[in-house]
């Protein structure tokens, strides 16, 4: 495995300030590194980590778009009962993601105060970035993977024997080539593009990223003008990956990351598409706007030194009719919607519209 440890604001997923402080954001060129720990949890038991109900714990921050992918996938596939969930505090200290939301400041299952302890258990002396999403082996307390690109694909394809009845196929084999192509552009220009703009350390670097973001959003808007979902007639991995950036756009990226040509709510197609997904079980019920805003505006002190969290935008629009059902398609294909959010995993009222 190659060593691609982050040394600042870059890194896989949402990375904490393990090596340099939060003030580094916006003061050095942005580069997202590959995941340092990329082990697979496999259905056929190959390797060290077999798929096994109850063995692993998914660690997320509700603020992080990369972790939100895993949250949504877990809900849609009905894996809540077999893959437990740990939610980190959206605010970090110098040791990064911490479990201060839990009683006693420790995760009740792993018994640790910081996610970095699972990284240290996996690789003693590890000094790189600590990112979410992460999957931890509960018996040993060791990190298994922080490969944010692969985690959701594996949940969809390797964990099938543990999926709920009626779970959708989020990465159907016959559509994977098209899904991969669509996701590649969205990742480069939108998911990652907003970070390249927000953490840019120079004007030209920022403007290049800014142009990429809106060029791709315009293309996606054109694609979605006459189709309900990005690929096929139902939700796929591609929709999940686009949604987690769109749902943060007006609240964070428009102002904080200076992606301000236009708001999401000013594009009729993308705004309706995002509302359609938000109102679909498994999407909006995982979104915590309070965590999102507090994390970005208070943690990224290099680009928001006052730490002031904006009072807006008005979130009530997320619940307004979208009329996208007129385009046809069905969100879950031949499957069904996930059940109610499990007790204890509900988004607090402060984080909802």
């Amino acid at each position: 495995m190659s060593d691609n440890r982050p040394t600042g604001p870059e890194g896989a997923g949402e990375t904490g300030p393990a090596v340099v402080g939060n003030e580094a954001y916006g003061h050095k060129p942005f580069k997202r590194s590959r995941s340092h720990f990329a082990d697979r949890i496999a259905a056929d038991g190959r390797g060290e980590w077999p798929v096994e109900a109850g063995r692993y714990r998914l660690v997320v921050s509700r603020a992080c778009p990369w972790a939100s992918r895993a949250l949504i996938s877990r809900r849609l596939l009905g894996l809540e009962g077999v893959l437990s969930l740990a939610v980190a505090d959206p605010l970090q200290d110098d040791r990064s993601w911490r479990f201060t939301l839990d009683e006693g400041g420790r995760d009740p299952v792993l018994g640790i105060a910081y996610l970095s302890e699972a990284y240290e258990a996996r690789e003693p002396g590890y000094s790189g970035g600590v990112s979410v999403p992460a999957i931890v082996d509960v018996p040993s307390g060791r990190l298994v993977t922080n490969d944010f690109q692969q985690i959701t694909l594996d949940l969809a394809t390797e964990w099938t024997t543990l999926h709920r009845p009626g779970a959708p196929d989020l990465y159907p084999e016959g559509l994977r080539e098209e899904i991969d192509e669509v996701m590649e552009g969205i990742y480069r220009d939108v998911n990652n593009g907003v970070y390249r703009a927000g953490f840019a350390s120079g004007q030209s670097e920022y403007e290049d990223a800014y142009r990429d973001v809106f060029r791709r959003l315009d293309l996606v808007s054109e694609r979605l003008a006459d189709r309900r979902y990005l690929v096929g007639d139902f939700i796929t991995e591609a929709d999940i990956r686009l949604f987690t950036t769109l749902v943060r756009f007006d609240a964070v990226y428009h102002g904080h990351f200076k992606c301000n040509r236009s708001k999401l709510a000013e594009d009729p197609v993308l705004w309706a598409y995002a509302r359609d997904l938000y109102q679909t079980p498994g999407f909006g019920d995982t979104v915590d706007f309070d965590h999102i805003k507090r994390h970005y505006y208070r943690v990224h002190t290099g680009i928001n030194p006052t730490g002031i969290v904006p009072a807006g935008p008005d979130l009530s629009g997320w619940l307004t009719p979208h009329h996208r059902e007129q385009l046809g398609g069905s969100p879950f294909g031949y499957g069904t919607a996930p059940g109610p959010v499990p007790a204890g995993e509900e988004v607090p009222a402060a984080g909802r519209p």
Side-chain angles (χ1 to χ4, degrees):
M1 182 186 301
S2 61
D3 190 349
N4 292 289
R5 304 182 191 185
T7 57
E10 65 276 11
E14 191 78 19
T15 305
V19 180
V20 296
N22 293 323
E23 68 278 1
Y25 292 107
H27 294 283
K28 58 181 295 185
F30 174 79
K31 180 183 178 183
R32 189 171 300 283
S33 301
R34 295 170 58 190
S35 301
H36 181 62
F37 301 100
D39 287 7
R40 303 280 299 278
I41 299 175
D44 61 6
R46 64 185 184 276
E48 186 176 358
W49 313 108
V51 170
E52 185 178 327
R55 175 169 177 175
Y56 305 103
R57 190 156 176 82
L58 175 65
V59 182
V60 304
S61 164
R62 292 190 187 274
C64 168
W66 321 96
S68 291
R69 297 176 180 180
L71 268 174
I72 293 168
S73 295
R74 175 177 172 270
R75 277 276 293 135
L76 294 179
L77 299 172
L79 293 172
E80 296 103 321
V82 298
L83 176 62
S84 65
L85 181 68
V87 178
D89 193 316
L91 304 181
Q92 305 156 314
D93 63 18
D94 288 341
R95 290 185 61 184
S96 190
W97 298 109
R98 53 188 184 162
F99 297 107
T100 47
L101 301 179
D102 294 300
E103 185 176 354
R106 291 186 175 274
D107 179 78
V109 173
L110 299 173
I112 57 178
Y114 291 88
L115 178 56
S116 59
E117 295 174 58
Y119 279 67
E120 175 69 20
R122 168 67 184 270
E123 184 178 300
Y126 176 75
S127 60
V130 177
S131 66
V132 289
I135 295 181
V136 178
D137 177 50
V138 173
S140 67
R142 298 165 59 206
L143 177 76
V144 176
T145 177
N146 68 344
D147 189 346
F148 69 104
Q149 296 282 45
Q150 191 63 44
I151 285 174
T152 51
L153 296 180
D154 281 348
L155 291 181
T157 60
E158 297 288 333
W159 291 66
T160 53
T161 59
L162 298 178
H163 288 179
R164 65 178 176 86
D169 188 350
L170 299 176
Y171 195 49
E173 192 166 356
L175 296 176
R176 287 180 189 176
E177 184 176 351
E178 185 178 1
I179 290 172
D180 290 346
E181 180 181 358
V182 170
M183 291 194 305
E184 195 280 330
I186 289 172
Y187 168 75
R188 182 186 62 245
D189 297 333
V190 179
N191 301 145
N192 210 41
V194 293
Y195 280 83
R196 287 171 45 227
F199 293 152
S201 57
Q203 188 69 32
S204 62
E205 179 189 353
Y206 157 72
E207 291 185 7
D208 287 345
Y210 172 98
R211 284 190 292 268
D212 288 343
V213 168
F214 286 102
R215 176 182 59 83
R216 183 64 57 179
L217 286 178
D218 287 344
L219 291 172
V220 171
S221 182
E222 291 175 13
R223 182 182 183 92
L224 289 168
D226 59 359
R227 57 194 302 168
R228 191 172 180 185
Y229 303 110
L230 283 169
V231 181
D233 296 325
F234 48 87
I235 290 164
T236 68
E237 175 81 11
D239 297 293
I240 295 172
R241 295 190 181 197
L242 178 58
F243 172 80
T244 58
T245 296
L246 294 185
V247 79
R248 289 161 173 77
F249 202 89
D250 288 1
V252 174
Y253 303 142
H254 180 270
H256 185 56
F257 278 179
K258 306 179 184 69
C259 294
N260 62 354
R261 189 200 73 179
S262 54
K263 296 178 180 178
L264 175 68
E266 294 169 349
D267 184 307
V269 172
L270 291 180
W271 179 222
Y273 167 79
R275 297 194 328 269
D276 185 5
L277 291 178
Y278 184 87
Q279 295 170 33
T280 299
F283 284 81
D285 52 27
T286 70
V287 175
D288 190 325
F289 284 106
D290 175 61
H291 278 208
I292 289 168
K293 289 170 59 177
R294 285 196 291 128
H295 170 75
Y296 281 91
Y297 287 104
R298 292 188 60 187
V299 170
H300 299 161
T301 55
I303 55 178
N304 187 40
T306 66
I308 293 173
V309 180
D314 179 6
L315 300 175
S316 61
W318 284 100
L319 302 179
T320 60
H322 53 77
H323 306 297
R324 294 279 294 179
E325 67 279 357
Q326 297 174 7
L327 295 173
S330 175
F332 308 109
Y334 293 107
T336 58
V341 177
E345 294 189 10
E346 304 90 347
V347 174
R352 303 194 301 266

